Amino acid sequence: MGLYYSDFFEFLGLDPTYVGIISAVIVGTLIGKNIGKGSGKYAFFTIFTYNLIDWILVFLFTSDGKLALQYGGIALSALIGFVLIMIFFYSIIGFFGAFVASSLKRNKQDEGL
């Protein structure tokens, strides 16, 4: 989702969860169309890595992230657990987007032969 995109969509009044889902589907679909067979694992790892780096940057460079890191304890553990669940959630959605796009591409190629 990225820091820039989250600020942009917050300005538009869109929920960041929906924006993450939409971006995961778009990235998964693009990877599925371009790579083809086996693209699901690439989409999963790409989205997972991007979101993990994004959340690390949020924790390190935003005032809200620094505040969360200062409190520590159970609240920080719960927040990190929630973030990891969301990262896996977005990655799985991107995986399915890539799988569907790859399957549609293969079916279209099979029909053309």
Side-chain angles (χ1 to χ4, degrees):
M1 176 163 56
L3 295 173
Y4 174 76
Y5 292 121
S6 63
D7 290 341
F8 176 71
F9 288 116
E10 185 176 322
F11 175 73
L12 293 177
L14 296 173
D15 186 17
T17 305
Y18 296 129
V19 174
I21 292 170
I22 292 168
S23 63
V25 168
I26 291 171
V27 168
T29 303
L30 290 174
I31 290 174
K33 283 185 177 181
N34 290 327
I35 294 178
K37 187 176 180 179
S39 61
K41 63 182 174 185
Y42 295 113
F44 183 87
F45 288 120
T46 301
I47 294 169
F48 182 85
T49 304
Y50 179 76
N51 280 307
L52 188 63
I53 291 170
D54 181 40
W55 278 105
I56 289 171
L57 292 175
V58 165
F59 279 126
L60 293 178
F61 296 116
T62 64
S63 59
D64 294 337
K66 289 178 184 177
L67 184 66
L69 289 174
Q70 286 176 353
Y71 279 111
I74 296 173
L76 182 61
S77 299
L79 182 62
I80 290 174
F82 174 75
V83 165
L84 289 175
I85 289 170
M86 291 306 292
I87 289 173
F88 276 111
F89 178 68
Y90 294 145
S91 300
I92 290 170
I93 289 173
F95 171 83
F96 283 120
F99 177 74
V100 169
S102 173
S103 296
L104 290 174
K105 180 180 176 182
R106 276 185 286 170
N107 287 342
K108 188 180 277 187
Q109 288 175 348
D110 289 343
E111 287 176 3
L113 293 175

